Amino acid sequence: MGLKIGGRIEKVNGRELTYSEFAERYMSQNQPVVLTGLMDDWRACKDWVSPNGKPNLHFFSTHFGKSEVQVADCGTREFTDQKRIEMTVSEFVDHWLRDCAGGGGSLLYLKDWHFVKEYPEYIAYRTPMDFSDDWLNFYLDKFRMHNDPDTYSERNEISCSDYRFVYMGSKGTWTPLHADVFRSYSWSANVCGKKQWYFLPPSQHHLVFDRNMKSSVYDIFADVSQSKFPGFEKAIWWECTQEENEVIFVPSGWYHQVHNLEDTISINHNWFNGYNLSWVWDLLLKDYNEASEYIEDLKGCNDFEELCQRNLAANTGMNFYDFFIFIVRFAFGNVVLLHTFAKVKNETNRKPSKALQHICFNLESIRSTAVKMKPINTGDRQGVLLDLRKNLEDHSFIELCAAVGKTYELIYDTDEMTPTLLQCTDLMCTSFVRSQVQSSEDLVAFIDDALTKLGGAFSR
């Protein structure tokens, strides 16, 4: 029995869509969309594509051939994913060319290449404005997500340097059914080639799991066991063919399987922000409960909680402690921006702007997530204490604030923040808000305090 297709992803000219329209229609509603017209000036679309429209493999081998990358063997399953192999880009290209020449062997798919981090001087593309409010990559450009010395290594997923990737695969390569890391949003731009996407809305994700909600379907086109996955045949899928120079937005929690219909190169980012922050916490809580259940026989041990958090970080990519520090830093950063707006208003008497509304929305989103975290007491149980004034002495934190502020200036075409942001350390001389946060309860109080004392300045 074939898949039941009940929906198709709409295609929209991205140049005719404002950021606010994109946020309202797609991020806020958690709906997928394909955007056109956003890649016309990308260097990647020239350098990486041959005159015949195929991937310029010689260019990659010549310019980036020594890079070590992870390659998926599309014909071999390993646990819930495809088997991964490490090789250089040159070795991967050689295998691809041999395969094209009829050499046989497994179809290999280069995935998760941290190209931007490895080649920062080579500007292959610029992130489209609709996807630029990217808290995850802003943060990882300045801080590590996870700092446990016992689990840290330069190459592991926990200490992932960023979530900006290049993918390269020949016709027939594919990615098994999955939902994205952290339940983040993702966007995927086809530099060349064509992909076929199959989506399942979050409301139906239980249909691709077994009765215990522990394991999910690996390949929707395989002979799926009806006894193991009794709901699978009821699933109603959304389908989409993504052409060259089109960008697809994948919302949070949508399971998807993707097939390359032609030789394809794509650029992919995972990211989250105020619109889907709660999805990240919901996943962490679910995975934490599973991690603690798995080692339940050790519950009497003094280090049981520490073991749960270490397993959570290893399996999910962050733990409660990491997430708490992340959202507190972003709360601090947005309050710094809010203070900057208040300073600009006092000096110029400007009216509140959409950028200000965006910052207040961010703080409300962080507050809502912190309220959900209260029963867990995440920060307090980890013994973490974050101080706004100490963060303001950290150059990395100031750069994080500047990156977020600059992005909002570009999104809303304003210049309200940058000149004043460099003076934001004057917050250290004020007592306008409480400075220290140790628990989710503290974080809620900090945000309430900031919105009352600073947000009130815009109602006068």
Side-chain angles (χ1 to χ4, degrees):
M1 182 179 239
L3 297 181
K4 293 178 182 175
I5 306 297
R8 298 192 184 277
I9 315 299
E10 67 173 322
K11 294 191 179 185
V12 175
N13 187 335
R15 288 173 295 191
E16 298 176 356
L17 195 68
T18 67
Y19 179 86
S20 296
E21 289 170 338
F22 174 77
E24 183 180 340
R25 292 186 204 172
Y26 305 109
M27 284 198 290
S28 177
Q29 301 301 316
N30 206 46
Q31 292 293 303
V33 66
V34 173
L35 301 176
T36 62
L38 300 180
M39 302 170 58
D40 296 344
D41 59 349
W42 285 12
R43 182 178 179 183
C45 295
K46 301 175 179 65
D47 289 355
W48 298 2
V49 185
S50 298
N52 63 0
K54 298 279 189 179
N56 189 340
L57 299 178
H58 177 73
F59 183 88
F60 277 92
S61 194
T62 301
H63 291 81
F64 316 119
K66 293 181 181 179
S67 293
E68 295 204 355
V69 292
Q70 283 209 355
V71 174
D73 179 349
C74 292
T76 306
R77 179 174 178 175
E78 192 167 76
F79 303 109
T80 60
D81 199 1
Q82 296 161 334
K83 181 180 179 181
R84 298 293 179 111
I85 308 162
E86 287 194 2
M87 61 178 63
T88 66
V89 168
S90 286
E91 290 169 338
F92 170 71
V93 168
D94 289 344
H95 183 281
W96 188 332
L97 294 173
R98 280 199 307 272
D99 187 56
C100 289
S106 299
L107 283 174
L108 299 184
Y109 192 2
L110 189 162
K111 295 183 176 183
D112 302 335
W113 181 9
H114 296 270
F115 185 90
V116 171
K117 280 287 183 182
E118 195 169 353
Y119 298 99
E121 302 302 319
Y122 180 95
I123 310 299
Y125 62 97
R126 296 198 182 276
T127 300
M129 195 67 69
D130 294 334
F131 316 130
S132 61
D133 187 19
D134 179 348
W135 296 8
L136 179 59
N137 289 300
F138 284 151
Y139 189 82
L140 290 172
D141 284 343
K142 304 302 173 186
F143 302 98
R144 286 178 185 162
M145 184 63 76
H146 187 77
N147 287 297
D148 185 345
D150 293 330
T151 56
Y152 173 75
S153 74
E154 287 295 334
R155 298 183 64 83
N156 70 10
E157 183 77 14
I158 295 172
S159 303
C160 185
S161 60
D162 70 342
Y163 285 86
R164 306 177 183 101
F165 306 116
V166 168
Y167 279 46
M168 296 175 60
S170 59
K171 178 180 179 180
T173 51
W174 64 292
T175 298
L177 184 68
H178 69 286
D180 283 330
V181 61
F182 303 137
R183 295 303 178 266
S184 60
Y185 296 142
S186 66
W187 61 267
S188 178
N190 269 7
V191 175
C192 64
K194 183 187 295 188
K195 291 178 184 284
Q196 190 75 11
W197 295 73
Y198 298 91
F199 287 96
L200 192 66
S203 60
Q204 296 188 54
H205 87 276
H206 61 285
L207 298 176
V208 294
F209 276 79
D210 62 13
R211 297 175 191 275
N212 300 315
M213 293 298 291
K214 296 296 184 187
S215 64
S216 61
V217 171
Y218 174 75
D219 178 4
I220 60 177
F221 294 105
D223 185 13
V224 176
S225 168
Q226 190 171 358
S227 59
K228 185 174 182 180
F229 302 104
F232 179 72
E233 290 187 354
K234 300 175 186 175
I236 300 175
W237 299 83
W238 292 35
E239 185 180 34
C240 174
T241 302
Q242 181 190 13
E243 305 285 349
E244 181 176 324
N245 293 334
E246 293 183 343
V247 187
I248 193 165
F249 167 66
V250 182
S252 292
W254 285 65
Y255 274 75
H256 50 283
Q257 183 165 316
V258 191
H259 294 257
N260 289 327
L261 303 180
E262 299 173 355
D263 295 351
T264 302
I265 300 173
S266 63
I267 293 165
N268 309 271
H269 285 203
N270 292 97
W271 95 103
F272 51 82
N273 56 36
Y275 284 96
N276 65 338
L277 188 66
S278 63
W279 281 88
V280 184
W281 170 247
D282 291 345
L283 176 70
L284 279 173
L285 185 58
K286 179 184 81 69
D287 287 358
Y288 168 80
N289 290 333
E290 289 181 3
S292 58
E293 181 184 317
Y294 188 72
I295 57 171
E296 194 172 8
D297 55 330
L298 300 175
K299 205 159 193 174
C301 299
N302 291 334
D303 60 351
F304 177 76
E305 182 61 29
E306 183 183 343
L307 285 171
C308 289
Q309 294 301 328
R310 289 182 66 180
N311 289 343
L312 181 61
N315 295 327
T316 307
M318 69 171 97
N319 59 25
F320 286 176
Y321 173 76
D322 305 321
F323 183 68
F324 181 71
I325 291 175
F326 176 93
I327 65 170
V328 171
R329 278 194 173 128
F330 264 91
F332 285 172
N334 278 277
V335 166
V336 168
L337 295 175
L338 191 61
H339 172 76
T340 303
F341 269 107
K343 192 163 184 160
V344 170
K345 181 181 184 295
N346 288 337
E347 293 171 356
T348 65
N349 203 31
R350 289 187 184 181
K351 292 182 179 179
S353 67
K354 286 187 177 180
L356 169 66
Q357 294 169 13
H358 194 139
I359 290 163
C360 291
F361 168 79
N362 290 345
L363 288 167
E364 292 287 1
S365 172
I366 294 170
R367 186 191 186 282
S368 296
T369 302
V371 167
K372 293 173 75 172
M373 295 166 68
K374 273 187 180 182
I376 309 295
N377 282 327
T378 359
D380 190 47
R381 75 197 293 180
Q382 292 288 335
V384 60
L385 175 67
L386 291 116
D387 191 304
L388 174 57
R389 288 177 174 81
K390 286 185 178 177
N391 273 271
L392 285 165
E393 296 170 359
D394 182 348
H395 189 63
S396 293
F397 175 74
I398 299 301
E399 288 181 339
L400 174 65
C401 294
V404 175
K406 184 65 176 175
T407 296
Y408 295 166
E409 286 189 337
L410 292 171
I411 287 174
Y412 298 111
D413 192 24
T414 179
D415 61 353
E416 292 172 274
M417 283 175 274
T418 301
T420 316
L421 191 55
L422 297 176
Q423 305 165 21
C424 66
T425 51
D426 67 2
L427 286 170
M428 297 178 66
C429 305
T430 71
S431 56
F432 73 103
V433 289
R434 63 181 66 208
S435 172
Q436 296 182 331
V437 173
Q438 188 168 18
S439 66
S440 51
E441 199 165 76
D442 289 345
L443 180 55
V444 171
F446 169 81
I447 293 171
D448 286 344
D449 202 21
L451 288 173
T452 299
K453 292 180 178 176
L454 289 174
F458 299 97
S459 59
R460 296 197 295 267

